[in-house]
Amino acid sequence: DAGVTQSPTHLIKTRGQQVTLRCSPISGHKSVSWYQQVLGQGPQFIFQYYEKEERGRGNFPDRFSARQFPNYSSELNVNALLLGDSALYLCASSAGTSNYGYTFGSGTRLTVV
Amino acid sequence: ILNVEQSPQSLHVQEGDSTNFTCSFPSSNFYALHWYRWETAKSPEALFVMTLNGDEKKKGRISATLNTKEGYSYLYIKGSQPEDSATYLCAIHVNRGSTLGRLYFGRGTQLTVWP
């Protein structure tokens, strides 16, 4: 069974540009969460989606948005990129919104120059 | 903002040494605690999920304990091996309505085991 897959693995963007990151959850998992990890910090919660609805949003500006598709895959969009958006973006999938098992992908490394 | 603290930040040990590190968290509204092992360029690997005060979990040479009343968890590695080198992340769920689905992470403890 394939794990959580994220694409692309690495990305370089210029300030002001827009970026879309993608995540495919484990088969059967209906919830996808997004986390941002900047160097030296623990991962910070951005969004959680369940059954295509937003179930939680972290303390991130409106430049960050996400959506979940009928097949439960998800996209994270960031507009008007800033240098400070450079980070590793992790996706995690789970069967529900608050059950215990979260499986992470290996992340997308975004560099904004 | 919810503070999850991990200590030490980094640890260097010799192969065969046993080691332990700590995760501290606010005890109010505690729901569950997760330990993850994260090797560079890989995805975080779930080690344990712990929910009850006094819980003890074991997986091979790695074990963990949980004290929800005082807000801490210990992770122990017995007889460390070079392949144990990784960052160990602690994360908690809190039972606060709409925030239940999110994990609050510590910064991790980076373990290096020298042969």
Side-chain angles (χ1 to χ4, degrees):
Chain A
D1 188 20
V4 176
T5 57
Q6 292 187 243
S7 64
T9 54
H10 296 84
L11 203 51
I12 299 175
K13 288 286 190 178
T14 305
R15 275 180 300 175
Q17 284 189 314
Q18 175 264 342
V19 69
T20 298
L21 312 181
R22 294 176 176 83
C23 172
S24 293
I26 286 176
S27 177
H29 281 190
K30 298 181 178 181
S31 176
V32 169
S33 300
W34 288 94
Y35 289 82
Q36 180 199 62
Q37 193 204 23
V38 299
L39 203 61
Q41 304 290 323
Q44 297 290 315
F45 174 80
I46 310 175
F47 285 110
Q48 183 182 43
Y49 275 76
Y50 178 73
E51 291 280 17
K52 295 169 285 181
E53 290 188 3
E54 182 182 305
R55 291 300 185 97
R57 183 187 181 110
N59 189 24
F60 281 82
D62 291 344
R63 299 184 295 108
F64 288 76
S65 63
R67 55 181 175 167
Q68 187 177 32
F69 298 99
N71 66 353
Y72 304 114
S73 67
S74 177
E75 286 182 352
L76 175 71
N77 296 286
V78 187
N79 292 324
L81 284 166
L82 303 174
L83 295 179
D85 295 329
S86 296
L88 180 70
Y89 289 85
L90 292 166
C91 171
S93 79
S94 62
T97 57
S98 61
N99 70 344
Y100 302 138
Y102 285 77
T103 304
F104 281 85
S106 54
T108 293
R109 172 72 62 186
L110 173 65
T111 302
V112 183
V113 297
Chain B
I1 295 179
L2 191 149
N3 273 336
V4 178
E5 300 286 340
Q6 290 190 248
S7 62
Q9 185 175 343
S10 65
L11 199 53
H12 296 254
V13 302
Q14 286 294 127
E15 183 175 356
D17 287 349
S18 292
T19 187
N20 66 86
F21 18 95
T22 306
C23 174
S24 303
F25 53 88
S27 56
S28 60
N29 300 310
F30 175 84
Y31 188 76
L33 181 141
H34 301 244
W35 279 104
Y36 286 90
R37 178 176 178 276
W38 195 4
E39 290 183 70
T40 304
K42 296 187 178 180
S43 53
E45 171 198 354
L47 289 174
F48 305 114
V49 181
M50 309 173 80
T51 57
L52 299 176
N53 186 45
D55 251 357
E56 291 188 21
K57 300 268 185 173
K58 187 174 181 182
K59 186 176 182 178
R61 295 179 291 100
I62 305 177
S63 60
T65 61
L66 178 65
N67 183 322
T68 61
K69 293 184 178 180
E70 296 183 36
Y72 65 84
S73 174
Y74 294 137
L75 188 77
Y76 301 92
I77 302 178
K78 185 178 178 182
S80 302
Q81 300 295 310
E83 57 264 31
D84 295 328
S85 298
T87 296
Y88 290 83
L89 283 173
C90 165
I92 67 165
H93 271 130
V94 293
N95 189 3
R96 271 201 316 231
S98 64
T99 69
L100 184 57
R102 68 185 67 178
L103 291 171
Y104 295 87
F105 281 89
R107 296 185 182 194
T109 293
Q110 187 171 3
L111 174 68
T112 304
V113 183
W114 299 103

